[in-house]
PDB file of all heavy atoms in Angstrom:
ATOM      1  N   LYS A   7       5.516   1.270   9.063  1.00 98.00           N
ATOM      2  CA  LYS A   7       6.697   1.770   9.812  1.00 98.00           C
ATOM      3  C   LYS A   7       6.762   0.925  11.083  1.00 98.00           C
ATOM      4  O   LYS A   7       5.897   1.006  11.937  1.00 98.00           O
ATOM      5  CB  LYS A   7       6.455   3.270  10.208  1.00 98.00           C
ATOM      6  CG  LYS A   7       6.425   4.183   9.009  1.00 98.00           C
ATOM      7  CD  LYS A   7       5.985   5.595   9.325  1.00 98.00           C
ATOM      8  CE  LYS A   7       4.452   5.565   9.409  1.00 98.00           C
ATOM      9  NZ  LYS A   7       3.821   6.825   9.607  1.00 98.00           N
ATOM     10  N   ILE A  25      11.026 -10.616   7.771  1.00 98.00           N
ATOM     11  CA  ILE A  25      10.005  -9.505   7.564  1.00 98.00           C
ATOM     12  C   ILE A  25      10.254  -8.830   6.274  1.00 98.00           C
ATOM     13  O   ILE A  25       9.322  -8.563   5.518  1.00 98.00           O
ATOM     14  CB  ILE A  25      10.086  -8.496   8.761  1.00 98.00           C
ATOM     15  CG1 ILE A  25       9.717  -9.205  10.084  1.00 98.00           C
ATOM     16  CG2 ILE A  25       9.124  -7.321   8.504  1.00 98.00           C
ATOM     17  CD1 ILE A  25      10.027  -8.307  11.323  1.00 98.00           C
ATOM     18  N   LEU A  78      14.939   9.136   6.199  1.00 94.00           N
ATOM     19  CA  LEU A  78      14.309  10.113   5.309  1.00 94.00           C
ATOM     20  C   LEU A  78      14.606   9.888   3.832  1.00 94.00           C
ATOM     21  O   LEU A  78      14.128  10.578   2.938  1.00 94.00           O
ATOM     22  CB  LEU A  78      14.758  11.554   5.741  1.00 94.00           C
ATOM     23  CG  LEU A  78      14.250  11.947   7.131  1.00 94.00           C
ATOM     24  CD1 LEU A  78      14.779  13.304   7.557  1.00 94.00           C
ATOM     25  CD2 LEU A  78      12.730  11.972   7.260  1.00 94.00           C
ATOM     26  N   SER A  97      16.877   9.541  24.958  1.00 97.00           N
ATOM     27  CA  SER A  97      17.155  10.691  24.133  1.00 97.00           C
ATOM     28  C   SER A  97      17.015  10.348  22.636  1.00 97.00           C
ATOM     29  O   SER A  97      16.549  11.244  21.824  1.00 97.00           O
ATOM     30  CB  SER A  97      18.586  11.209  24.362  1.00 97.00           C
ATOM     31  OG  SER A  97      19.533  10.231  24.099  1.00 97.00           O
ATOM     32  N   ASP A 110       4.112   2.302  13.503  1.00 97.00           N
ATOM     33  CA  ASP A 110       2.733   1.727  13.631  1.00 97.00           C
ATOM     34  C   ASP A 110       2.797   0.607  14.664  1.00 97.00           C
ATOM     35  O   ASP A 110       1.826   0.335  15.321  1.00 97.00           O
ATOM     36  CB  ASP A 110       2.334   1.082  12.328  1.00 97.00           C
ATOM     37  CG  ASP A 110       2.357   2.066  11.129  1.00 97.00           C
ATOM     38  OD1 ASP A 110       1.661   3.117  11.311  1.00 97.00           O
ATOM     39  OD2 ASP A 110       3.011   1.869  10.151  1.00 97.00           O
ATOM     40  N   PRO A 146      25.872 -23.463   8.726  1.00 98.00           N
ATOM     41  CA  PRO A 146      25.790 -23.144   7.303  1.00 98.00           C
ATOM     42  C   PRO A 146      25.540 -24.308   6.428  1.00 98.00           C
ATOM     43  O   PRO A 146      25.758 -25.459   6.865  1.00 98.00           O
ATOM     44  CB  PRO A 146      27.257 -22.609   7.038  1.00 98.00           C
ATOM     45  CG  PRO A 146      28.064 -23.137   8.171  1.00 98.00           C
ATOM     46  CD  PRO A 146      27.155 -23.214   9.354  1.00 98.00           C
ATOM     47  N   ILE A 183       7.811   4.913  25.992  1.00 97.00           N
ATOM     48  CA  ILE A 183       7.435   5.840  24.960  1.00 97.00           C
ATOM     49  C   ILE A 183       6.481   5.178  23.905  1.00 97.00           C
ATOM     50  O   ILE A 183       5.679   5.823  23.309  1.00 97.00           O
ATOM     51  CB  ILE A 183       8.678   6.401  24.244  1.00 97.00           C
ATOM     52  CG1 ILE A 183       9.507   7.199  25.298  1.00 97.00           C
ATOM     53  CG2 ILE A 183       8.328   7.219  22.946  1.00 97.00           C
ATOM     54  CD1 ILE A 183      10.021   8.448  24.884  1.00 97.00           C
TER      55      ILE A 183
END
Side-chain angles (χ1 to χ4, degrees):
K7 293 170 282 186
I25 299 169
L78 295 175
S97 62
D110 301 306
I183 298 225

